C-alpha cells in the first residue's frame, strides 16, 4: 500500500522544497516548479485511488478494468497538461492563443474519433440498424452484437464460409460509416428476402412438366413465408413508397446455347436463407432423379470434322 504512493510522497516533498526556495527570494520560478510538482503528485494519488481497490470492487472483468484504467490515465494527463500550462503561462492573451492552437491540433488529430462519435449518435437517433439486425457495411456482412459510442461489433458471416453462416470472427466497424458509407440492412422493418435456385435442363427434357412440378413444390414449401411476406409488405407500404411486389413463388425460363435454365424464385427468411435453399435443393434433386422426363444438363463440346489422334510416348 505504502509503496504505491512513494512517488507521490517524493513529489510532494520536492514541491515543499521548491516552495521554500521561492520564499527565500530565489525567484518565482521555484513557486511554479512547486505547483507543477504538486499537481503531478495529485494526479498520481487520484490515479492510484481510482484504479486501486475501488476499480477492483466495482469492475470484475479484467479487460474492462484495463480499458477503464487507460481511460482514467488519459483524462488525468489532459487535466495535468492544462494545469501546467495555466501555471507557466501568465499572459492571458497568450494563454488564449495557446489553447486555440491546442484545440485546433486536437480537432485535427481526433477528427476520426469525432466522426465516430457523431455516427454513434446518428445510429441511436435514426435507428439505421439496431442490435440483432443483419447488415452489410464497409464490405463486412454479419449480425450486429453491440453498438458502442465509437464502434459497432458484428459477428461476421460468410467470409471464407460459402453461405450465410458465422465464421467466428468479430468485426469492429467505425460508426462513422453511417455518415459517408452505404448500409444494407436485411432485417430492418421486415425479415424476408427473395432468393433463387437455377436448374439447367437439357433441351430433350419435358421442361413444361418440370415447371409445373417445381412450382407446386415451391408453393407447398414456402407458402407460409409468402403469406408472412405479404403482411410485411403491407406494413412497409404504410411507411415507404413501395410498389406492390409479388411474393408468390415463380419460375422464369432462359435459353442458352447448351441448355434451358429454370430460375426458381421464392421468398425466404433472411436469417435462414441457406437452410431453406438447402432443403429445396435436396427435394428438387429427388424429383429430378426419380423422373426420366427431364435431366440436369452439363456443358458439352461437339467436335466436328475428321481428326487424327496421335499418342506420343514421352520415354
Amino acid at each position: 500500500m505504502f509503496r504505491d504512493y512513494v512517488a507521490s510522497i517524493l513529489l510532494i516533498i520536492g514541491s515543499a522544497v521548491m516552495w521554500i526556495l521561492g520564499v527565500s527570494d530565489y525567484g518565482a520560478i521555484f513557486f511554479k516548479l512547486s505547483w507543477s510538482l504538486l499537481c503531478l503528485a495529485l494526479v498520481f494519488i487520484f490515479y492510484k485511488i481510482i484504479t486501486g481497490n475501488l476499480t477492483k470492487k466495482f469492475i470484475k472483468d479484467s479487460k474492462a478494468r484495463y480499458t477503464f484504467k487507460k481511460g482514467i490515465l488519459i483524462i488525468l494527463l489532459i487535466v495535468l497538461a492544462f494545469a501546467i500550462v495555466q501555471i507557466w503561462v501568465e499572459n492571458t492573451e497568450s494563454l488564449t492563443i495557446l489553447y486555440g492552437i491546442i484545440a485546433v491540433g486536437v480537432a485535427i488529430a481526433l477528427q476520426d474519433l469525432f466522426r465516430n462519435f457523431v455516427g454513434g449518435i446518428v445510429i441511436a437517433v435514426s435507428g439505421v440498424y439496431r442490435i440483432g439486425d443483419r447488415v452489410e457495411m464497409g464490405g463486412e456482412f454479419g449480425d450486429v452484437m453491440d453498438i458502442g459510442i465509437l464502434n459497432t461489433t458484428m459477428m461476421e458471416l460468410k467470409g471464407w464460409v460459402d453461405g450465410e453462416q458465422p465464421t467466428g470472427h468479430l468485426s469492429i466497424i467505425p460508426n462513422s460509416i453511417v455518415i459517408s458509407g452505404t448500409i444494407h440492412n436485411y432485417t430492418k422493418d421486415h425479415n424476408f428476402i427473395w432468393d433463387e435456385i437455377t436448374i439447367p435442363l437439357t433441351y430433350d427434357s419435358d421442361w413444361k412438366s418440370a415447371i409445373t412440378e417445381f412450382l407446386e413444390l415451391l408453393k407447398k414449401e414456402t407458402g407460409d413465408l409468402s403469406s408472412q411476406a405479404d403482411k410485411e409488405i403491407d406494413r412497409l407500404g404504410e411507411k415507404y413508397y413501395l410498389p406492390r411486389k409479388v411474393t408468390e413463388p415463380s419460375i422464369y425460363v432462359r435459353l442458352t446455347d447448351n441448355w434451358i435454365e429454370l430460375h426458381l424464385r421464392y421468398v425466404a427468411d433472411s436469417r435462414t436463407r441457406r437452410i431453406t435453399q438447402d432443403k429445396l435443393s435436396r427435394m428438387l434433386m429427388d424429383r429430378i432423379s426419380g423422373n426420366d422426363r427431364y435431366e440436369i444438363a452439363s456443358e458439352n463440346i461437339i467436335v466436328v470434322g475428321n481428326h487424327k489422334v496421335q499418342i506420343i510416348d514421352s520415354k
Side-chain angles (χ1 to χ4, degrees):
M1 180 70 178
F2 176 76
R3 285 183 298 178
D4 293 338
Y5 295 95
V6 169
S8 300
I9 293 172
L10 291 176
L11 287 171
I12 292 173
I13 293 173
S15 174
V17 171
M18 293 297 107
W19 187 269
I20 293 171
L21 291 174
V23 172
S24 303
D25 294 331
Y26 279 90
I29 190 172
F30 288 101
F31 285 117
K32 294 181 179 180
L33 287 172
S34 175
W35 281 111
S36 300
L37 292 175
L38 183 60
C39 289
L40 187 58
L42 291 175
V43 165
F44 271 112
I45 292 172
F46 277 118
Y47 181 74
K48 290 296 182 181
I49 292 174
I50 295 174
T51 62
N53 294 329
L54 195 64
T55 303
K56 293 180 180 179
K57 181 179 179 181
F58 291 101
I59 305 177
K60 303 300 181 182
D61 183 67
S62 59
K63 291 183 179 179
R65 191 161 55 242
Y66 172 81
T67 304
F68 177 76
K69 287 182 178 180
K70 285 291 183 181
I72 291 297
L73 180 61
I74 292 172
I75 293 172
L76 289 176
L77 289 177
I78 293 173
V79 172
L80 177 63
F82 275 99
I84 296 296
V85 170
Q86 193 73 35
I87 291 169
W88 286 90
V89 180
E90 296 179 352
N91 191 323
T92 305
E93 185 177 336
S94 300
L95 193 61
T96 303
I97 295 173
L98 180 61
Y99 283 155
I101 294 172
I102 293 174
V104 172
V106 170
I108 294 174
L110 302 180
Q111 58 179 327
D112 289 339
L113 190 70
F114 180 72
R115 281 168 55 84
N116 290 337
F117 178 74
V118 172
I121 296 175
V122 171
I123 294 169
V125 173
S126 66
V128 177
Y129 55 81
R130 302 191 184 280
I131 292 175
D133 283 353
R134 178 160 293 187
V135 300
E136 184 176 2
M137 53 184 176
E140 300 292 335
F141 182 84
D143 291 329
V144 178
M145 300 176 63
D146 179 65
I147 302 174
I149 298 175
L150 302 177
N151 302 301
T152 294
T153 303
M154 297 194 313
M155 171 60 73
E156 183 189 49
L157 302 177
K158 293 184 179 180
W160 61 82
V161 178
D162 186 17
E164 295 170 8
Q165 303 292 325
T167 64
H169 276 174
L170 295 183
S171 300
I172 312 298
I173 311 295
N175 287 340
S176 60
I177 194 170
V178 301
I179 299 174
S180 57
T182 302
I183 312 296
H184 299 284
N185 193 326
Y186 292 82
T187 53
K188 180 179 174 62
D189 297 326
H190 66 82
N191 293 303
F192 68 89
I193 56 174
W194 279 274
D195 195 20
E196 287 191 4
I197 297 175
T198 301
I199 300 178
L201 295 180
T202 63
Y203 275 98
D204 295 333
S205 300
D206 186 356
W207 59 272
K208 292 182 179 180
S209 298
I211 289 176
T212 302
E213 188 172 352
F214 295 164
L215 190 58
E216 181 183 350
L217 174 63
L218 290 178
K219 289 180 178 180
K220 180 181 177 182
E221 296 299 326
T222 64
D224 292 339
L225 285 172
S226 297
S227 300
Q228 182 63 32
D230 268 333
K231 296 177 183 178
E232 294 188 7
I233 282 181
D234 289 338
R235 276 203 313 270
L236 282 176
E238 297 174 1
K239 185 175 182 180
Y240 308 102
Y241 169 71
L242 183 68
R244 187 64 184 172
K245 302 296 181 182
V246 177
T247 59
E248 291 258 336
S250 54
I251 298 179
Y252 299 92
V253 180
R254 179 173 177 266
L255 302 180
T256 70
D257 293 339
N258 296 304
W259 52 68
I260 302 172
E261 280 186 356
L262 302 184
H263 295 267
L264 284 63
R265 181 175 171 85
Y266 57 91
V267 169
D269 186 282
S270 58
R271 298 186 183 280
T272 58
R273 184 193 67 85
R274 191 184 191 189
I275 296 173
T276 302
Q277 188 181 90
D278 174 75
K279 179 183 176 181
L280 291 174
S281 297
R282 291 171 184 266
M283 298 178 75
L284 289 165
M285 286 300 299
D286 286 340
R287 296 289 181 94
I288 294 170
S289 61
N291 196 319
D292 58 2
R293 289 178 298 169
Y294 33 80
E295 61 178 328
I296 297 292
S298 59
E299 187 170 0
N300 299 318
I301 299 176
I302 300 175
V303 180
V304 180
N306 297 322
H307 300 274
K308 181 179 179 181
V309 179
Q310 183 179 4
I311 300 176
I312 300 175
D313 190 351
S314 59
K315 292 182 180 180

